[in-house]
């Protein structure tokens, strides 16, 4: 069975901004979810509202971690062991995971049984776990960096030797991560690429 989906675990996998978007849109996007052993199956409405078709989502779990995913909105968007890509841009996957979390909370018997038998909650690496004080600090940093322009954010990241590609929301998350945990070094293997956090570990984007 899938692990218990905690708020902290979901934010760590999706990133803060996609997690926040999912909270707003989950009710209007996800039509149906079901679990088959360690796999989440979901039917969603097209988040762009440009196509009148059913979007199918598959998320596979292994123990207390997400193993892989696939969404029919973009057949090419699937996890690969050597790519390290995560579904940061796919609202269908994000909303499906959030819907599963809500279902678990609404089923006290199933949640109790899951906790007693499997004793697993969606994994969060030790260095990503935060206490209340750290969460308050992170929230304040998001507010501060959100006031800056894209050029200013990119300039800050470049001065600190960090990846400066992506939308403003991506740049804000990278700045917050750097302020909370320090600047990341270049990839020790290729010596050129930037390290970025992707699904439980830091990987090279080069």
């Amino acid at each position: 069975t899938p692990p218990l989906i905690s708020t902290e675990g979901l934010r760590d996998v999706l990133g803060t901004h996609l997690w926040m978007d999912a909270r707003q849109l989950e009710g209007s996007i996800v039509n149906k979810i079901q679990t088959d052993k360690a796999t989440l199956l979901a039917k969603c409405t097209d988040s762009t509202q440009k196509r009148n078709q059913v979007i199918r989502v598959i998320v596979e779990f292994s123990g207390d971690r997400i193993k892989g995913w696939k969404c029919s909105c973009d057949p090419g968007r699937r996890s690969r062991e050597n790519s390290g890509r995560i579904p940061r841009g796919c609202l269908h996957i994000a909303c499906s995971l959030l819907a599963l979390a809500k279902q678990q909370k609404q089923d006290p018997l199933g949640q109790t049984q899951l906790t007693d038998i499997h004793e697993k909650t969606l994994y969060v690496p030790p260095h990503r776990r935060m206490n209340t004080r750290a969460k308050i600090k992170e929230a304040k940093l998001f507010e501060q960096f959100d006031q800056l322009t894209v050029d200013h954010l990119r300039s800050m990241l470049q001065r600190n030797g960090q990846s400066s590609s992506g939308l403003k929301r991506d740049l804000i998350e990278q700045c917050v991560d750097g302020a909370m945990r320090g600047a990341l070094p270049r990839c020790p293997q290729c010596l050129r690429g930037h390290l970025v956090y992707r699904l439980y570990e830091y990987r090279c984007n080069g």
Side-chain angles (χ1 to χ4, degrees), residues 137-166:
K137 178 182 178 181
E138 183 191 52
K140 291 181 178 178
L141 287 170
F142 267 104
E143 291 180 3
Q144 293 173 8
F145 286 121
D146 190 46
Q147 303 300 316
L148 304 179
T149 64
V150 170
D151 289 340
H152 195 166
L153 292 169
R154 284 208 171 99
S155 177
M156 290 176 59
L157 289 167
Q158 290 169 357
R159 288 200 305 270
N160 285 277
Q162 306 301 291
S163 173
S164 59
S165 61

Side-chain angles (χ1 to χ4, degrees), residues 1-4 35-40 60-65 100 104 110 113-115 117-120:
T1 55
L4 287 173
T35 56
D36 180 13
K37 296 183 180 179
T39 302
L40 168 65
E60 297 178 340
F61 298 90
S62 178
D64 60 353
R65 308 188 188 200
L100 176 59
Q104 291 174 341
Q113 191 176 31
L114 182 65
T115 304
I117 297 177
H118 300 281
E119 296 182 348
K120 58 184 180 181

Side-chain angles (χ1 to χ4, degrees), residues 81-182:
E81 186 176 348
N82 62 346
S83 70
R85 301 300 179 190
I86 69 171
R88 287 187 183 275
C90 184
L91 270 170
H92 305 113
I93 296 174
C95 289
S96 298
L97 287 168
L98 183 60
L100 176 59
K102 287 186 175 181
Q103 185 184 80
Q104 291 174 341
K105 288 183 179 180
Q106 293 170 359
D107 182 13
L109 179 61
Q111 187 169 344
T112 301
Q113 191 176 31
L114 182 65
T115 304
D116 291 343
I117 297 177
H118 300 281
E119 296 182 348
K120 58 184 180 181
T121 302
L122 190 63
Y123 176 71
V124 181
H127 73 281
R128 305 287 295 186
R129 297 171 191 168
M130 295 187 291
N131 56 27
T132 302
R133 180 178 296 180
K135 291 178 181 178
I136 293 174
K137 178 182 178 181
E138 183 191 52
K140 291 181 178 178
L141 287 170
F142 267 104
E143 291 180 3
Q144 293 173 8
F145 286 121
D146 190 46
Q147 303 300 316
L148 304 179
T149 64
V150 170
D151 289 340
H152 195 166
L153 292 169
R154 284 208 171 99
S155 177
M156 290 176 59
L157 289 167
Q158 290 169 357
R159 288 200 305 270
N160 285 277
Q162 306 301 291
S163 173
S164 59
S165 61
L167 302 174
K168 182 177 181 179
R169 63 191 325 172
D170 301 317
L171 303 179
I172 292 173
E173 289 199 18
Q174 289 170 232
C175 286
V176 171
D177 191 57
M180 295 286 292
R181 302 175 181 89

Side-chain angles (χ1 to χ4, degrees), residues 50-95:
K50 294 180 179 179
R51 297 173 294 179
N52 185 22
Q53 67 181 50
V54 175
I55 304 295
R56 299 182 184 275
V57 173
I58 299 175
V59 181
E60 297 178 340
F61 298 90
S62 178
D64 60 353
R65 308 188 188 200
I66 292 176
K67 180 182 179 182
W69 49 78
K70 181 180 179 181
C71 181
S72 63
C73 75
D74 181 1
R77 179 186 278 122
R78 67 177 68 189
S79 61
R80 297 184 177 86
E81 186 176 348
N82 62 346
S83 70
R85 301 300 179 190
I86 69 171
R88 287 187 183 275
C90 184
L91 270 170
H92 305 113
I93 296 174
C95 289

